[in-house]
């Protein structure tokens, strides 16, 4: 498996650390209530298809990266710096 | 007063050679990591130009020469080798003295890219990785910075605590490559 770091370019999977669903970028407000926090912390979809994950280029540039991939075909569809994704949603 | 003797990270480990490749330790005067604050890269660059004669490096690039070099060192960060940076740089960037924290080694010789090919999952052949190019990547199992500083010549940096392992792995690869031409 190869992932394209937006900074370093295409690299081997061994350089990356996997975190999980990119939901971590959508942290609720502190007073959003228990339902929103329960959802954020514990409830995950398990899609057969396109999903977005957070990976870190741990042995490379250390950037956090949003990787869009297909769990059925194993295609990697896109990658973006998590910092850019977060800035765009602000 | 006790007079302590400074010991470099690769003391007693280097130099080594095998076949046409040599591995030596480099001794930069100072190592400083510089992470510019938001929107401050241009001003940081101006400061480095005054103190080191180099601009802040672009992603995957290094600028300068032995004695004064700035190496892109990851997202939003450069490692400055040579003399000390300006005291005023702390107004523009997160500045950390990393002298003594990294082992700096130089791998040189016609087969040096072949040696690295055994340890690094990135293509470092001269056709795609030339002088002034740099990567943050894996050297065997260690996080490393590798910069092409000339023809068949690479500067390799690993954290000081990895010095002995890095030298061991590099030497093993050097001997394996040398054995191919016997
Ligand atoms: Zn990277």
């Amino acid at each position: 498996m190869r992932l394209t770091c937006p900074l370093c370019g295409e690299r081997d999977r061994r350089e990356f650390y996997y975190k999980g669903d990119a939901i971590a970028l959508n942290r609720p407000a502190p007073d959003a209530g228990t339902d929103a926090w329960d959802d954020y912390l514990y409830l995950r979809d398990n899609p057969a298809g396109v999903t977005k994950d957070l990976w870190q280029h741990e042995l490379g540039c250390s950037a956090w990266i949003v990787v869009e991939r297909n769990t059925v075909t194993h295609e990697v569809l896109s990658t973006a710096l998590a910092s850019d994704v977060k800035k765009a949603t602000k | 007063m006790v007079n302590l003797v400074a010991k470099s990270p690769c003391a007693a480990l280097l130099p080594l050679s095998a076949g046409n490749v040599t591995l030596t330790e480099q001794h930069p005067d100072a190592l400083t990591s510089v992470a510019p604050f938001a929107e401050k890269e241009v001003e940081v660059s101006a400061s480095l130009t005054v103190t080191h004669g180099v601009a802040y490096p672009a992603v995957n690039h290094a600028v300068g020469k032995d004695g004064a070099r700035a190496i892109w060192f990851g997202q939003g960060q450069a490692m400055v080798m040579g003399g000390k940076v300006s005291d005023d740089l702390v107004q523009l960037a997160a500045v950390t003295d990393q002298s003594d924290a990294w082992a700096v080694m130089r791998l040189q010789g016609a087969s040096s890219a072949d040696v690295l090919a055994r340890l690094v999952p990135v293509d470092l052949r001269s056709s795609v990785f030339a002088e002034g190019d740099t990567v943050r990547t894996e050297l065997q199992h260690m996080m490393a910075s590798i910069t092409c500083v000339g023809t068949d010549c690479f500067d390799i940096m690993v954290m000081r605590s990895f010095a002995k392992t890095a030298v061991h792995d590099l030497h093993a690869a050097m001997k394996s490559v040398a054995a191919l031409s016997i």
Side-chain angles (χ1 to χ4, degrees):
Chain A
M1 180 173 174
R2 312 268 295 171
L3 292 173
T4 300
C5 170
L7 296 174
C8 302
E10 190 187 291
R11 294 294 179 91
D12 192 86
R13 182 259 175 272
R14 83 184 85 159
E15 293 189 2
F16 296 86
Y17 166 79
Y18 174 74
K19 167 108 171 65
D21 196 310
I23 184 104
L25 293 175
N26 305 323
R27 187 186 175 89
D31 58 357
T34 51
D35 282 353
W37 275 94
D38 181 47
D39 192 31
Y40 171 71
L41 287 172
Y42 302 116
L43 303 182
R44 295 289 176 269
D45 295 330
N46 185 20
V50 176
T51 188
K52 282 184 180 175
D53 302 317
L54 277 179
W55 295 71
Q56 191 194 19
H57 197 189
E58 187 185 24
L59 285 168
C61 66
S62 300
W64 282 96
I65 298 161
V66 177
V67 177
E68 188 180 22
R69 65 189 176 95
N70 189 313
T71 60
V72 176
T73 63
H74 303 300
E75 278 173 289
V76 175
L77 302 166
S78 71
T79 56
L81 289 175
S83 52
D84 288 346
V85 172
K86 186 71 184 174
K87 253 181 242 159
T89 57
K90 262 182 188 169
Chain B
M1 210 174 120
V2 179
N3 191 14
L4 298 173
V5 178
K7 198 177 167 195
S8 70
C10 299
L13 298 172
L14 295 177
L16 289 170
S17 66
N20 60 40
V21 179
T22 58
L23 185 65
T24 53
E25 182 170 22
Q26 299 297 112
H27 302 276
D29 289 338
L31 283 176
T32 311
S33 64
V34 175
F37 298 143
E39 321 290 329
K40 295 293 183 194
E41 209 173 288
V42 172
E43 289 171 69
V44 168
S45 209
S47 175
L48 292 179
T49 303
V50 172
T51 56
H52 291 72
V54 297
Y56 185 82
V59 173
N60 297 323
H61 285 87
V63 285
K65 54 186 191 308
D66 286 356
R69 181 175 274 123
I71 302 172
W72 179 80
F73 217 68
Q75 187 180 29
Q77 193 183 103
M79 188 68 88
V80 178
M81 305 170 81
K84 296 225 179 307
V85 298
S86 163
D87 289 339
D88 298 331
L89 198 58
V90 294
Q91 311 295 330
L92 305 170
V95 177
T96 309
D97 181 9
Q98 307 256 7
S99 309
D100 303 326
W102 291 79
V104 187
M105 296 161 283
R106 178 162 292 179
L107 188 72
Q108 193 165 14
S111 302
S112 50
D114 296 337
V115 171
L116 289 172
R118 291 176 177 246
L119 304 170
V120 178
V122 180
D123 191 349
L124 300 178
R125 290 174 299 175
S126 58
S127 52
V128 287
F129 192 75
E131 185 173 351
D133 288 338
T134 193
V135 282
R136 288 303 307 262
T137 184
E138 182 189 51
L139 180 86
Q140 198 71 338
H141 302 291
M142 292 157 277
M143 65 191 309
S145 157
I146 302 175
T147 304
C148 182
V149 294
T151 306
D152 300 323
C153 190
F154 302 89
D155 276 4
I156 302 166
M157 297 175 67
V158 297
M159 285 186 265
R160 185 186 183 123
S161 55
F162 297 159
K164 199 170 176 182
T165 309
V167 168
H168 169 84
D169 288 331
L170 282 161
H171 194 211
M174 286 161 66
K175 286 185 289 186
S176 300
V177 170
L180 292 174
S181 57
I182 288 171

